[in-house]
Amino acid sequence: MKDSILFYSTNLNAEPVIFSEALLKGLAPDKGLYMPEEIPAFTKEEIKSFSNKEYYEIAFEIGRMFLRGQIADDDLLAIVKDAYNYDVPLENVYDNKYVMRLDQGPTASFKDFAARMMGRLMNYYLNKEGRSITILTATSGDTGSAIANAFYGLDNIKVVVLFPETEVTNRQRKQMTPLGRNIRVIAMKGKFDDCQALVKEAFTDPDLDYLKLSSANSINIGRLVPQIVYYFYSFAKLRSGENNEEVIFSIPSGNFGDMMGGIFAKNMGLPVKKFIIATNQNDEFPKFMDIGKYEKIEPSYNCISSAMNVGHPSNLSRLIALYGGVMDEKGSVSQMPDMEKMRKDIFSISIMDDATQQTIKEAFNKHKLILEPHGAVGWKGLMSYLENNKENADQLCVSLETAHPAKFPEKINELLGLDPDLPDSLKGLDEKEEQFDKLDNDYLEFKAYLKERY
Ligand SMILES: *Cc1c(COP(=O)(O)O)cnc(C)c1O
């Protein structure tokens, strides 16, 4: 065992680096994504012991495995304790079927889990090295606000958030535009994929080297590690203690960062029977699983689960790497992964908007369960899977709810005729003053904007 885990690039054309370097760089110099050379694993006994631990303590156990030799235990413990000061409700829907609500953080989306830990880790390493960076991030709504809130006020980090002008809700926008200070927000006249393309181009532009650009998108390894934790947490709290017990997770997915956390958890020893990867109409991955041929969707479809309107999931190359294949950042596969093994672990399904809306109604009428569009895609994926795989009827199942229903008040009201209660984090947004710039979907304009201001 090496002293520290090194991180290699999925494009296999860059030197492996230590955690802090992968964290602060974001993207590898060859445009690949960083992956751990070794995935540490827990023993069954260790996993059993998690049942008596708090959320932040499980986060600590997982973090120290990946950060071996790179951070003192005390420092890591302080970081996770500060980051995870909110609830993670496990809502029983029927029998042993649960919804895990990952919506109690400061921006009411699951992205808070990753952003809060990543921000604190970056700050820790930057302070240690006495330097500063600029975070450039494209958002389809929830990432931007989670990053902006998690990084607000950190002196060594400037943040620039790009969002597609017409693809985020008023509330999502208002969670980032009033912040100011080290946070700058730009509305782009384009789609999420366009924003992401501009960001990627900026990263490899030598004229912008002086900005020390880094990414906080779901491609950053610092986002991935925290997203392993809630899989362990839910199993620890819900397990019955029987031998050979396994769990099925259903994950509403866009850029596949969330699901990669789950896949890592399984590789670390969590007994997962199946992952259900539920997408909206953007079905490039379910199709790939079906026919073994990958074709991204350009432009991506606009669906009501807007944070999942992704025509080429940026974390897909990580999944492919884990199953022995190679996919570059453009989505071309130079080595096929082990499809058979992938199909054994993963069932993927595309859920159209009308089925998503129907599910929101049904879940409420049947179970008094309030879901928003993303969580409904996950829940519907699980229901379809169980319907077609009756042998799994008794299995422990956890479907992830990735945002708070109050973030989509118009949709919920239209479908259920009620207004979801606002969590504290979303109260008072309407009175705040917004501050943001508008840019065309044009790289040179974007570059000039950055050079002028920084
Ligand atoms: C980002 C997001 C997703 C998709 O997560 P990925 O990690 O990109 O797959 C799902 N739901 C919500 C509410 C999100 O914000």
Side-chain angles (χ1 to χ4, degrees):
M1 194 160 88
K2 289 186 190 163
D3 295 342
S4 295
I5 292 179
L6 292 182
F7 295 80
Y8 72 93
S9 163
T10 51
N11 280 355
L12 305 176
N13 232 330
E15 284 297 307
V17 298
I18 55 173
F19 181 81
S20 58
E21 199 174 333
L23 173 76
L24 294 172
K25 271 209 177 109
L27 207 60
D30 64 357
K31 301 189 187 180
L33 307 188
Y34 283 117
M35 280 284 279
E37 285 188 340
E38 163 205 338
I39 298 183
F42 293 113
T43 63
K44 283 203 168 109
E45 291 311 309
E46 284 170 327
I47 293 173
K48 215 177 234 169
S49 76
F50 290 174
S51 294
N52 303 315
K53 288 191 194 297
E54 302 282 338
Y55 189 92
Y56 77 86
E57 294 173 311
I58 300 177
F60 170 72
E61 297 297 338
I62 290 166
R64 75 199 286 251
M65 297 279 254
F66 282 95
L67 275 68
R68 191 173 73 215
Q70 296 292 312
I71 191 167
D73 279 357
D74 287 353
D75 291 331
L76 181 61
L77 194 59
I79 284 174
V80 292
K81 208 168 173 180
D82 184 49
Y84 301 119
N85 55 2
Y86 52 89
D87 283 348
V88 185
L90 292 157
E91 187 173 328
N92 183 236
V93 185
Y94 69 90
D95 298 344
N96 54 355
K97 311 293 177 274
Y98 291 82
V99 162
M100 173 157 56
R101 294 206 180 264
L102 301 172
D103 59 1
Q104 302 292 301
T107 67
S109 116
F110 93 99
K111 294 194 168 73
D112 288 326
F113 285 83
R116 288 171 69 77
M117 176 124 166
M118 181 174 63
R120 282 158 180 77
L121 283 171
M122 282 182 161
N123 199 41
Y124 171 83
Y125 287 113
L126 288 169
N127 269 337
K128 247 178 128 167
E129 297 172 22
R131 51 192 195 100
S132 66
I133 56 169
T134 306
I135 298 279
L136 193 54
T137 189
T139 184
S140 50
D142 288 334
T143 303
S145 52
I147 296 295
N149 279 273
F151 285 71
Y152 176 69
L154 298 181
D155 290 338
N156 293 333
I157 308 181
K158 297 181 194 74
V159 177
V160 180
V161 181
L162 266 80
F163 70 89
E165 195 176 14
T166 56
E167 287 180 23
V168 308
T169 67
N170 284 343
R171 271 195 191 148
Q172 283 175 325
R173 200 187 62 241
K174 285 178 182 173
Q175 283 182 302
M176 43 189 179
T177 50
L179 288 169
R181 265 179 86 171
N182 59 328
I183 313 292
R184 197 180 284 279
V185 182
I186 301 170
M188 182 68 58
K189 293 183 185 121
K191 301 174 75 66
F192 170 68
D193 291 347
D194 299 325
C195 295
Q196 210 167 25
L198 290 194
V199 165
K200 282 195 172 163
E201 194 163 353
F203 278 128
T204 52
D205 187 338
D207 293 350
L208 297 177
D209 275 352
Y210 76 99
L211 285 174
K212 305 283 176 233
L213 291 178
S214 181
S215 145
N217 267 14
S218 56
I219 54 176
N220 194 302
I221 190 73
R223 294 258 310 257
L224 215 52
V225 173
Q227 287 173 175
I228 300 169
V229 181
Y230 38 77
Y231 293 95
F232 276 101
Y233 174 81
S234 56
F235 181 73
K237 299 299 162 186
L238 298 175
R239 67 182 303 176
S240 63
E242 282 165 38
N243 282 337
N244 303 323
E245 185 178 25
E246 290 181 311
V247 53
I248 295 174
F249 285 106
S250 184
I251 309 155
S253 293
N255 267 316
F256 285 16
D258 198 1
M259 76 93 115
M260 276 312 292
I263 301 276
F264 271 106
K266 182 177 168 76
N267 280 272
M268 294 177 80
L270 189 68
V272 181
K273 181 152 194 203
K274 203 81 165 184
F275 289 103
I276 293 154
I277 306 304
T279 70
N280 57 25
Q281 189 181 355
N282 294 287
D283 63 351
E284 63 281 357
F285 184 67
K287 275 221 177 102
F288 176 61
M289 292 292 277
D290 262 0
I291 62 175
K293 189 167 178 296
Y294 183 70
E295 271 178 63
K296 48 188 172 178
I297 295 178
E298 283 176 309
S300 56
Y301 297 109
N302 271 340
C303 300
I304 55 171
S305 48
S306 56
M308 305 185 335
N309 292 341
V310 179
H312 172 45
S314 54
N315 274 286
L316 187 53
S317 51
R318 282 199 168 110
L319 182 74
I320 302 284
L322 215 49
Y323 285 87
V326 180
M327 174 190 266
D328 72 9
E329 73 283 357
K330 297 199 172 72
S332 71
V333 181
S334 57
Q335 188 176 317
M336 278 298 281
D338 183 340
M339 294 301 290
E340 203 176 318
K341 187 153 180 277
M342 234 160 81
R343 289 181 184 123
K344 188 170 160 288
D345 295 345
I346 297 171
F347 168 76
S348 188
I349 182 169
S350 156
I351 308 292
M352 303 291 279
D353 272 356
D354 51 357
T356 305
Q357 307 200 62
Q358 194 57 33
T359 301
I360 293 177
K361 285 195 215 166
E362 268 175 31
F364 184 71
N365 293 337
K366 253 194 189 158
H367 307 294
K368 289 279 170 280
L369 172 67
I370 302 187
L371 296 170
E372 53 69 60
H374 305 82
V377 168
W379 182 252
K380 177 66 182 173
L382 176 61
M383 291 300 105
S384 303
Y385 180 74
L386 293 177
E387 183 67 29
N388 293 309
N389 296 272
K390 294 265 195 304
E391 73 280 9
N392 286 307
D394 296 332
Q395 211 75 39
L396 172 63
C397 297
V398 180
S399 189
L400 276 54
E401 175 49 288
T402 45
H404 196 285
K407 289 187 105 167
F408 305 87
E410 295 89 358
K411 196 37 89 194
I412 302 299
N413 191 295
E414 173 198 327
L415 295 170
L416 304 182
L418 59 85
D419 292 313
D421 290 337
L422 276 188
D424 287 344
S425 58
L426 297 181
K427 286 179 184 156
L429 285 182
D430 286 341
E431 289 86 63
K432 294 194 175 150
E433 199 170 315
E434 296 192 70
Q435 223 179 314
F436 63 97
D437 295 317
K438 287 189 187 185
L439 287 182
D440 288 325
N441 176 21
D442 179 283
Y443 179 69
L444 291 178
E445 191 184 324
F446 175 56
K447 177 173 168 176
Y449 175 96
L450 290 177
K451 289 182 82 167
E452 204 175 301
R453 281 160 186 81
Y454 294 110

